[in-house]
Amino acid sequence: MTQSLTIARPDDWHLHLRDGAMLVAVLPETARHFARAIIMPNLVPPVVTGAQAAAYRDRILAALPADMSFTPLMTLYLTEDTDPDDVAAAHASGLIKAVKLYPAGATTNSASGVANFENVRATLDRMAEIGLPLCVHGEVTDADIDIFDREAVFIDRVLDPIRKATPGLRVIMEHITTSNGVDYVKSNATDLGATITTHHLIINRNHLLVGGIKPHYYCLPVAKREEHRLALRAAATSGDARFFLGTDSAPHMDALKEHACGCAGCFTATNTMALLAHVFEEDGALDQLEAFASQNGPAFYGLPTNSDTITLTKSEAPTIFPSKIDAGDDTVTVFDPGFPVHWDVT
Ligand code: NCD
Ligand code: ZN
């Protein structure tokens, strides 16, 4: 029995490509299936200015194998020193599609993030004026807030006040992990969207912690309780145009994941589309996969849906994905869902 599904070519609305040897290793994994991706700017040092984003885009395009096509959609990393004129110029030239807000210290390479939101007010106002969206890493970093509560607290303490103070600002809550995130998006009008990762549709915090700690399931925001995973599944498979795919595929060298102080990030670029087909089929929602992976994202960003397609095929035998890919002197582990998957992009 073979089943197949053809959908418009998907895009990834939240992706880490890194730089150097890692970029060369991981870029084909995304470009094989995806036409475009919003490229996260959390390099070391971060991509802060338009000039840095242009140089990074050129390095990405130089790393792309000659037989592949892929369009990186660049972003700027918002800092308290960001110049609103530089942001506006990078947007006007078509170089950038969003600005990324990391609360200082929230995640990998976020030391330059924002601590005092008053200092980014002028940039946010300008973005609202020119229609440039803000991508938000929605976690507070206060030491007294439990890591599993950081997204919910961020919505009340930071996100809602920012949105009220900046009417018209289009916001994408990145990689939501809680029912609080889902509910907040649903309670608001069309200027708010959210990305959902593949791995947060599959794992909860038990997968990370029960039976031994699984470093390759550790990412930020950290996976939450099962009830939250189910809320994400319901949102992703609902067809609601405010929810779309952002894999947050975040490669780290295995030596740094399998470590006493392991890095946060799941690498899902290789098998994301097959895993999503499995998830959507399990929820009786294969007919909504195209909306989630290929239509809702471009609509939110005001871009056309891709005109070419990919075909997913389900086979009798489980699909064999590589467990690791080579990257420079080390390897990167591909996300293992922990169950057999019969879908593949063919
Ligand atoms: C990301 C990374 O490694 O850059 N890690 C992660 O766990 N998602 C940073 C981020 O998006 O938070
Ligand atoms: Zn990310």
Side-chain angles (χ1 to χ4, degrees):
M1 160 228 55
T2 309
Q3 198 183 337
S4 80
L5 175 70
T6 296
I7 60 172
R9 184 172 294 279
D11 304 301
D12 186 348
W13 301 95
H14 180 130
L15 177 67
H16 298 269
L17 285 177
R18 316 299 191 200
D19 217 337
M22 183 65 96
L23 167 63
V24 170
V26 301
L27 178 58
E29 300 301 297
T30 286
R32 198 169 291 133
H33 301 156
F34 294 89
R36 301 169 289 196
I38 285 278
I39 309 301
M40 286 296 121
N42 63 332
L43 304 182
V44 186
V47 179
V48 173
T49 65
Q52 289 167 338
Y56 186 30
R57 181 194 53 193
D58 292 347
R59 295 199 298 282
I60 294 169
L61 293 174
L64 189 66
D67 59 343
M68 288 183 157
S69 69
F70 175 71
T71 304
L73 307 174
M74 307 309 292
T75 62
L76 297 183
Y77 187 122
L78 183 64
T79 74
E80 294 183 21
D81 297 323
T82 292
D83 173 5
D85 290 338
D86 183 56
V87 171
H91 173 248
S93 72
L95 173 66
I96 62 162
K97 292 288 177 272
V99 170
K100 175 71 188 241
L101 166 66
Y102 288 102
T107 185
T108 313
N109 305 335
S110 64
S112 319
V114 176
N116 181 351
F117 286 84
E118 276 317 302
N119 293 337
V120 296
R121 174 128 324 281
T123 302
L124 298 181
D125 286 344
R126 189 68 168 276
M127 289 168 58
E129 210 177 287
I130 62 180
L132 178 61
L134 181 71
C135 293
V136 175
H137 183 107
E139 291 190 287
V140 293
T141 53
D142 314 47
D144 61 324
I145 304 297
D146 189 277
I147 190 166
F148 292 99
D149 297 333
R150 288 182 171 193
E151 181 171 299
V153 173
F154 181 89
I155 294 169
D156 294 339
R157 282 197 194 167
V158 183
L159 183 56
D160 201 55
I162 286 181
R163 293 185 58 249
K164 290 201 166 112
T166 324
L169 181 65
R170 293 173 66 69
V171 174
I172 298 119
M173 291 177 73
E174 305 264 62
H175 44 49
I176 54 170
T177 58
T178 60
S179 60
N180 311 69
V182 170
D183 292 345
Y184 185 70
V185 171
K186 284 192 184 161
S187 69
N188 280 277
T190 48
D191 60 354
L192 184 65
T195 57
I196 301 178
T197 76
T198 307
H199 52 282
H200 287 116
L201 296 175
I202 293 173
I203 58 167
N204 63 32
R205 64 194 202 178
N206 279 15
H207 295 93
L208 171 66
L209 295 169
V210 172
I213 190 161
K214 314 292 187 316
H216 297 291
Y217 287 165
Y218 175 60
C219 65
L220 289 171
V222 70
K224 308 294 192 300
R225 288 176 180 276
E226 176 66 357
E227 70 197 56
H228 293 296
R229 186 185 73 92
L230 295 176
L232 299 174
R233 290 271 285 235
T237 58
S238 68
D240 185 325
R242 293 168 293 191
F243 298 100
F244 43 94
L245 174 63
T247 66
D248 195 17
S249 182
H252 289 279
M253 295 297 191
D254 280 334
L256 298 175
K257 290 287 293 174
E258 298 164 9
H259 190 274
C261 184
C263 298
C266 296
F267 178 66
T268 55
T270 306
N271 53 2
T272 273
M273 289 312 302
L275 299 188
L276 288 175
H278 177 103
V279 162
F280 276 65
E281 183 185 35
E282 201 166 72
D283 287 6
L286 266 180
D287 58 335
Q288 298 297 350
L289 179 58
E290 184 174 43
F292 180 68
S294 314
Q295 292 172 335
N296 296 347
F300 190 90
Y301 276 89
L303 295 169
T305 300
N306 296 308
S307 51
D308 62 335
T309 58
I310 63 165
T311 297
L312 289 141
T313 304
K314 186 182 182 187
S315 311
E316 202 87 46
T319 310
I320 312 288
F321 301 107
S323 62
K324 295 172 188 296
I325 64 161
D326 291 323
D329 303 334
D330 200 350
T331 51
V332 174
T333 293
V334 175
F335 179 79
D336 173 4
F339 48 75
V341 171
H342 294 258
W343 289 92
D344 203 1
V345 180
T346 48

